[in-house]
Amino acid sequence: MDKKDVIKKALELGFADVGFTTMEPFESQKDILNSRKEEYAWVFEKGINLKKGLDPKNIMPNGKSIIVLIDLYFKEAFPNVLEGHFGRAYLDDDRIIRSHLSKRFKAFRGFLRDNNIESKAPFNIPHRLTAARAGLGTFGKNNFLYSNKVALQSSCLSPIPIIVNYEFEPDEPTVEVGCPKWCKSTCIASCPTGALRAPNTIDPRKCISYLSYYQEEITPLEIREQVGTWVYGCDRCQEVCPRNRAWLSQDLPINERVLAKSKDFELSNLLHMDLKFYQSKIWPHMFYMPFNETWRWKMNAARAMGNTLDPKYIPDLVRAFDENEDEKVKGMISWSLGRLGREESKIALESFLLKSNGKVREEILLALKQF
Ligand code: SF4
Ligand code: SF4
């Protein structure tokens, strides 16, 4: 068995690129985690042990090499309306339903097993850094990995590392920032919340992606407008990047799988959904929020409705106020009605005021100041 056999099999299975690296610990990442403990504390609170993944030997003591597969998640177009609300990487995510990528990945591991190679696919080793060390791409100042060879050198890719107990010759690392000198750091200037505050330096607690799935409180007033129409994830710093222009300009065929479920992901359906709908229609595709946290989905949908500035959502927001008990959802509905304006919003807010108190009442009073 040599690298050529592995590469041939991976390409046959539809992966776009393959690289190989050593079992060396990821020292640079260790330094980052140690120097920015506060910003990353939430990761550990969520039970994700990133430190363990910094030394691949912790995951597979008899490991000898790491194979990195590159999969392209954006080979087909997604409906425009979904791209405005959801990160593209999540739109055809099959980690729960195991309908396509998972099958190819399983077949690849089966191939390794048939050749007497044990493998482990850890979720907590630094995927992008592993791929760069395997010579598959360079970094953007937005921290994304840009391919050296495939996807028109864009960042529309997912690196998948696999630790194996078989030694392969490592590829030449390309762990560096590969941005053209003429780019004036558009990604940093465009980050709506200032999460990307300097080249390759992000405060995850301010990143819209993080906020969309993990924030425990109502979105702070000072960033509600900036979060815009995002509901789950954020692609802004990739969309503005000139390194992605060629890939994003392609005329791609529509992804039928995603088109088929797009109605379920309409903002109105998210705002009014019950637990059964969430469990059967949404969670199998976007699963970062547990079943008892649908309030966050609803808050995000309500905020996005307000930020569309489209008055067609006023009746939905008014109806959802009484459907929901959660004060964060009610508060965001009030804010969005204030943002959308119009007489019918004002009348609804005045009626909500009569039956509300505490934080919800404060939000309603704030919203009424918009009129
Ligand atoms: S926007 Fe510019 S600086 Fe940012 S990742 Fe793209 S090329 Fe690099
Ligand atoms: S994903 Fe969005 S919020 Fe996060 S750093 Fe990029 S532009 Fe900023």
Side-chain angles (χ1 to χ4, degrees):
M1 163 74 80
D2 68 16
K3 282 166 68 170
K4 274 201 217 98
D5 302 314
V6 175
I7 293 168
K8 183 166 173 271
K9 186 67 189 178
L11 298 183
E12 245 173 55
L13 287 169
F15 293 99
D17 205 357
V18 193
F20 300 81
T21 186
T22 65
M23 290 288 287
E24 291 290 299
F26 296 95
E27 292 297 342
S28 61
Q29 205 71 359
K30 215 179 265 178
D31 296 342
I32 291 174
L33 282 184
N34 284 337
S35 65
R36 296 167 59 195
K37 281 190 179 126
E38 210 178 296
E39 288 172 10
Y40 284 91
W42 64 274
V43 184
F44 296 95
E45 279 160 23
K46 295 268 166 208
I48 304 168
N49 191 346
L50 285 187
K51 284 202 172 149
K52 189 175 175 198
L54 297 182
D55 185 351
K57 286 272 180 201
N58 288 335
I59 293 155
M60 190 175 191
N62 62 338
K64 294 200 170 136
S65 291
I66 306 176
I67 303 173
V68 186
L69 303 173
I70 293 291
D71 196 52
L72 308 188
Y73 61 72
F74 186 33
K75 285 184 283 194
E76 294 169 314
F78 301 121
N80 267 345
V81 65
L82 293 185
E83 288 187 344
H85 301 303
F86 308 94
R88 289 187 181 90
Y90 303 117
L91 282 173
D92 200 16
D93 186 339
D94 84 330
R95 281 177 283 176
I96 297 291
I97 55 173
R98 302 193 170 273
S99 61
H100 46 286
L101 170 59
S102 303
K103 284 186 181 158
R104 292 189 284 122
F105 186 56
K106 197 172 164 198
F108 183 75
R109 290 186 72 187
F111 159 79
L112 295 175
R113 205 169 36 248
D114 292 346
N115 286 280
N116 298 316
I117 298 176
E118 283 173 39
S119 66
K120 283 230 161 133
F123 67 91
N124 56 350
I125 74 170
H127 287 203
R128 294 174 195 161
L129 182 54
T130 314
R133 211 169 74 178
L136 292 166
T138 60
F139 285 96
K141 289 184 193 170
N142 57 8
N143 280 338
F144 283 90
L145 182 84
Y146 289 73
S147 173
N148 284 333
K149 288 195 298 209
V150 297
L152 306 182
Q153 300 184 19
S154 74
S155 64
C156 301
L157 52 88
S158 309
I160 310 170
I162 308 164
I163 306 178
V164 290
N165 68 339
Y166 189 94
E167 190 143 0
F168 291 101
E169 192 195 334
D171 290 316
E172 193 60 39
T174 52
V175 185
E176 59 199 56
V177 172
C179 298
K181 287 204 170 50
W182 49 261
C183 179
K184 307 265 185 282
S185 302
T186 318
C187 51
I188 298 172
S190 305
C191 175
T193 56
L196 190 58
R197 59 170 194 259
N200 305 97
T201 311
I202 187 169
D203 182 346
R205 299 164 307 173
K206 283 190 182 168
C207 177
I208 293 169
S209 293
Y210 161 82
L211 294 171
S212 70
Y213 6 90
Y214 296 133
Q215 185 162 47
E216 297 295 347
E217 299 300 330
I218 190 167
T219 315
L221 184 61
E222 59 276 15
I223 61 164
R224 286 181 200 167
E225 250 184 75
Q226 289 94 310
V227 176
T229 59
W230 296 111
V231 172
Y232 190 98
C234 166
D235 280 347
R236 178 85 180 141
C237 54
Q238 294 186 88
E239 282 173 344
V240 298
C241 174
R243 297 177 76 182
N244 279 334
R245 208 58 243 148
W247 189 269
L248 294 178
S249 314
Q250 293 177 105
D251 193 9
L252 299 169
I254 192 81
N255 182 319
E256 296 292 344
R257 264 193 307 265
V258 177
L259 184 65
K261 68 187 181 195
S262 62
K263 185 141 187 56
D264 295 336
F265 284 81
E266 283 178 3
L267 295 182
S268 307
N269 284 328
L270 296 175
L271 183 65
H272 300 299
M273 71 182 165
D274 58 17
L275 187 58
K276 194 168 160 231
F277 185 89
Y278 180 55
Q279 288 173 328
S280 60
K281 304 284 189 192
I282 305 299
W283 183 84
H285 307 288
M286 297 187 195
F287 55 90
Y288 288 175
M289 288 180 246
F291 297 153
N292 61 351
E293 291 183 11
T294 51
W295 66 265
R296 197 182 293 104
W297 269 104
K298 291 169 183 245
M299 178 185 78
N300 292 348
R303 188 190 56 239
M305 283 177 169
N307 281 328
T308 62
L309 301 179
D310 189 337
K312 77 175 181 187
Y313 289 119
I314 293 173
D316 276 311
L317 288 162
V318 173
R319 174 153 75 90
F321 188 90
D322 285 330
E323 284 172 358
N324 283 282
E325 289 301 317
D326 191 285
E327 62 179 25
K328 299 176 283 296
V329 181
K330 282 178 177 288
M332 193 59 81
I333 287 171
S334 307
W335 178 81
S336 284
L337 286 170
R339 181 139 168 77
L340 291 174
R342 301 251 177 150
E343 190 58 20
E344 57 267 44
S345 296
K346 184 167 176 259
I347 292 168
L349 285 165
E350 283 165 349
S351 76
F352 298 163
L353 196 60
L354 302 175
K355 52 189 174 189
S356 304
N357 45 42
K359 286 183 182 166
V360 180
R361 189 178 170 82
E362 283 169 27
E363 289 285 352
I364 297 169
L365 288 170
L366 208 62
L368 280 168
K369 286 190 183 157
Q370 303 300 317
F371 296 88

